[in-house]
């Protein structure tokens, strides 16, 4: 399963959280400690709802042989709406239920930002897919026509869930490798 994290979304009204003595959030029946994750706010109703919808999506079975497999979920929101915190809580939930998760980003800069925010190993999506630029050093480099080649697919270990931060940078060609 794949989760895309992007910056563009139709904004919903933010509901201010009420004072809560509990420093946990329940995700699909699993209590996650916000204090242990260093999250200093109580998620609001929309954030908890998003967590539970994503958790349900990721744990529901689906038919791999179906003509169209709905195996991607996109979490989008403006800066400051809690995408990173939701991701951090979701990763803790996925660990708790024993899922193998790879966290990736589309650029080295985004990789550093998400790695610092979630305190986990993160790679670029290109490295996770064993992609390298296909460059002919005898020809001038045209970045608008940069093509990628994939190394040995047999060496790839597919996670249960692949998280991609800054997925708005994924073009059609890269998307085909991800699918």
């Amino acid at each position: 399963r794949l989760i895309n994290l992007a910056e563009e979304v139709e904004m919903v009204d933010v509901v201010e959280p009420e004072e809560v003595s509990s420093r946990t959030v329940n995700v699909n029946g699993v209590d996650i400690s916000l204090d242990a994750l260093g999250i200093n706010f109580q998620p609001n109703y929309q954030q908890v709802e998003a967590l539970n919808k994503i958790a349900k999506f990721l744990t529901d079975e689906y038919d791999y042989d179906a003509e169209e497999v709905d195996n991607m979920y996109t979490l989008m929101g403006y800066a400051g709406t809690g995408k990173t915190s939701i991701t951090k809580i979701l990763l803790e939930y996925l660990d708790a239920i024993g899922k193998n998760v790879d966290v990736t980003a589309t650029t080295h800069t985004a990789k550093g930002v998400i790695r610092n925010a979630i305190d986990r190993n993160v790679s670029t999506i290109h490295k996770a897919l064993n992609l390298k630029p296909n460059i002919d050093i005898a020809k001038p480099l045209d970045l608008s026509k940069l093509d990628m080649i994939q190394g040995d697919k047999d060496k790839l270990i597919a996670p249960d869930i692949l998280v991609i931060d800054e997925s708005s940078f994924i073009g059609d060609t890269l998307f085909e490798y991800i699918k």
Side-chain angles (χ1 to χ4, degrees), residues 25-80:
V25 64
N26 187 283
V27 180
N28 206 24
V30 177
D31 286 329
I32 304 296
S33 170
L34 300 174
D35 293 326
L37 295 175
I39 295 175
N40 59 3
F41 68 94
Q42 188 71 31
N44 64 34
Y45 173 79
Q46 287 96 350
Q47 291 164 326
V48 173
E49 185 177 37
L51 279 163
N52 282 293
K53 283 182 179 180
I54 296 168
K56 181 177 178 347
F57 172 81
L58 293 174
T59 56
D60 280 353
E61 294 295 320
Y62 61 95
D63 183 2
Y64 286 95
D65 296 323
E67 193 169 309
E68 288 191 32
V69 177
D70 183 18
N71 65 349
M72 297 184 194
Y73 195 102
T74 303
L75 173 64
M76 299 185 297
Y78 292 112

Side-chain angles (χ1 to χ4, degrees), residues 149-169:
I149 55 172
Q150 190 169 38
D152 190 356
K153 289 182 183 180
D154 294 333
K155 292 184 180 179
L156 294 176
I157 300 172
D160 297 323
I161 297 165
L162 178 65
V163 176
I164 306 173
D165 190 32
E166 297 295 345
S167 63
S168 59
F169 289 106

Side-chain angles (χ1 to χ4, degrees), residues 1 12 20 45 59-60 64 77 84 89 97 100 117 143 169 171 177:
R1 302 243 112 158
V12 297
V20 179
Y45 173 79
T59 56
D60 280 353
Y64 286 95
T84 302
I89 295 167
I97 64 168
N100 176 18
L143 292 177
F169 289 106
Y177 285 109

Side-chain angles (χ1 to χ4, degrees), residues 108-146:
H108 282 284
T109 300
K111 176 183 93 167
V113 170
I114 192 72
R115 181 184 58 224
N116 290 336
I118 65 172
D119 195 29
R120 288 178 176 251
N121 289 331
V122 179
S123 65
T124 63
I125 186 63
H126 302 84
K127 182 174 182 177
L129 297 173
N130 198 16
L131 296 174
K132 296 174 177 54
N134 186 13
I135 300 172
D136 183 349
I137 58 172
K139 295 180 181 177
L141 181 61
D142 182 354
L143 292 177
S144 68
K145 296 180 182 174
L146 185 62

